[in-house]
Amino acid sequence: MHNDFAARLKVRFPRAVVMGITGNWAFAAGTVLLALRRHNPALNADIIVFCDGQLPAEDARILQELGAQLVPFTPVDAELTEEALRVFSPLSLAKFHCFDLLRHYESVVWLDSDILVQDSLEALFACGPLGLALEDPEFSDPAGAKPAQINLHGQVQDFDGSANNLNSGVIVFRNDLPEPEKLRQLCLQFVCQHGALLRYPDQAAFNALAQMLLRQSPQCVQLLPQQFNAHPRNPAATFAPIVHAFGAYKLWNDGLTATCFPEWQRDYARWQGLGGSPYAGTVENAEFLEGGAFSLLTGLCGTIEKAQAAIADMQQKLQVEAKVRARLEAVVSRLG
């Protein structure tokens, strides 16, 4: 950990929750923190948010009032592809700093910002020494675990592309990890060395690291329960402590997804009520936000009723046509 980084930290508790955001994602972090505080009122953990230099002053003030320590992040010097830079923020690589934080904390939990906290996260802190969940098999169509190769555009030595893919949106680091500084350096080296091949840079690095540890020290890697990284498509997401909307459809840019999780919408409204900046991008399926889940269900029932009526009408017409055809066939038979 750099000295200036260490000097910024105010260590009060033995545990930490860590996030990383660009300036235009303050609303996402704020919404997560509001839910985190509500569902974990006795949370004995420092909250650290890595951020770039674009964070609006008012948003920064609100995040700090919610208990966050804001730490500027210097992007990793890696030649990433245009695709990776377009889809992923350089702040995603800030999670490598969690290894350094183990100098100060017994346990560190990294949370991506595109999540919804719905329950206590107390059990997460005991996981590890390195804990990651599978990419939710329910995300796939058809459902099933995806291979780790999806993180890469090509082959990388010692990387098992056929292994089940681990999602890097929720990660637990515990200070009984062997040589955490070395592990951080391995992740950085992986990203810098293979930048041109990385589709999902940080996730590729953590899959490579987990595979190495499983070969050398398998006791160091724990597969987190899926309830701590459930995708919205997973039926169990209704009661999962953490819902992770990885992929293109987020809780803020898709009306259908947002309608399915009104708790996130309420916290997002609270964030704006505090004076926080709103999401400024486009919203797909925005019409679903107008009436809520009941309206959506009513519309679905109405569509089903119309479909049933159309089917009944077609069946009636087919019956009439069948009778006419039978008469014509009888006439033809007599003529023959």
Side-chain angles (χ1 to χ4, degrees):
M1 182 184 299
H2 302 298
N3 291 332
D4 59 339
F5 176 25
R8 292 177 183 274
L9 290 179
K10 296 179 181 178
V11 179
R12 298 168 297 173
F13 300 107
R15 308 178 301 183
V17 175
V18 186
M19 303 175 70
I21 57 168
T22 51
N24 60 340
W25 272 45
F27 71 91
T31 302
V32 171
L33 293 186
L34 283 164
L36 182 68
R37 290 299 192 190
R38 187 173 64 262
H39 289 291
N40 300 264
L43 180 67
N44 292 321
D46 291 334
I47 297 174
I48 300 168
V49 177
F50 291 102
C51 52
D52 61 12
Q54 306 302 315
L55 190 63
E58 183 65 8
D59 290 345
R61 180 191 65 78
I62 299 170
L63 290 173
Q64 288 172 326
E65 287 184 353
L66 292 174
Q69 299 184 50
L70 304 181
V71 179
F73 175 72
T74 302
V76 173
D77 184 18
E79 296 182 2
L80 302 178
T81 64
E82 290 185 6
E83 175 194 14
L85 291 173
R86 183 173 62 253
V87 178
F88 291 92
S89 160
L91 268 297
S92 64
L93 302 184
K95 59 190 68 174
F96 297 157
H97 277 313
C98 291
F99 291 109
D100 287 337
L101 289 171
L102 294 178
R103 293 184 183 183
H104 301 271
Y105 298 100
E106 295 175 2
S107 182
V108 175
V109 172
W110 170 275
L111 300 176
D112 274 0
S113 300
D114 54 350
I115 69 165
L116 164 64
V117 176
Q118 298 187 130
D119 208 336
S120 170
L121 304 189
E122 190 65 31
L124 260 183
F125 290 97
C127 296
L130 180 68
L132 299 102
L134 285 177
E135 177 181 311
D136 195 333
E138 295 293 335
F139 174 69
S140 303
D141 187 17
K146 284 188 177 180
Q149 188 60 40
I150 67 169
N151 297 293
L152 304 171
H153 289 294
Q155 300 298 316
V156 169
Q157 185 177 0
D158 297 328
F159 187 94
D160 182 5
S162 64
N164 288 339
N165 185 44
L166 300 175
N167 185 278
S168 61
V170 178
I171 310 175
V172 181
F173 305 79
R174 218 171 54 204
N175 66 355
D176 52 345
L177 262 175
E179 301 182 286
E181 293 179 13
K182 178 182 177 181
L183 300 182
R184 171 184 177 271
Q185 192 60 33
L186 287 173
C187 287
L188 288 172
Q189 289 176 354
F190 184 89
V191 171
C192 291
Q193 182 179 355
H194 305 294
L197 292 176
L198 305 183
R199 179 179 284 115
Y200 309 128
D202 64 285
Q203 191 162 275
F206 276 101
N207 271 270
L209 179 66
Q211 290 179 15
M212 183 201 74
L213 288 174
L214 285 170
R215 292 192 297 267
Q216 299 178 1
S217 305
Q219 74 279 3
C220 289
V221 180
Q222 178 183 357
L223 197 64
L224 298 178
Q226 203 65 60
Q227 63 179 353
F228 289 117
N229 203 334
H231 190 268
R233 292 182 187 176
N234 190 333
T238 301
F239 302 106
I242 297 179
V243 179
H244 183 196
F246 60 87
Y249 295 103
K250 306 297 184 186
L251 293 153
W252 54 83
N253 69 2
D254 176 56
L256 185 56
T257 303
T259 299
C260 294
F261 298 96
E263 186 172 354
W264 185 91
Q265 293 189 67
R266 287 194 293 271
D267 284 322
Y268 176 50
R270 292 186 180 103
W271 163 259
Q272 293 181 82
L274 293 172
S277 299
Y279 167 63
T282 59
V283 178
E284 293 190 38
N285 302 309
E287 64 274 14
F288 291 115
L289 294 170
E290 297 175 0
F294 188 79
S295 175
L296 179 63
L297 182 61
T298 301
L300 177 61
C301 290
T303 300
I304 292 174
E305 289 177 358
K306 291 178 181 178
Q308 290 175 333
I311 291 172
D313 183 59
M314 290 178 63
Q315 289 175 333
Q316 186 177 9
K317 290 179 179 179
L318 286 172
Q319 290 175 354
V320 173
E321 292 177 357
K323 291 179 180 179
V324 171
R325 179 175 179 176
R327 292 174 183 173
L328 287 174
E329 288 177 346
V331 171
V332 171
S333 176
R334 287 196 297 270
L335 292 175

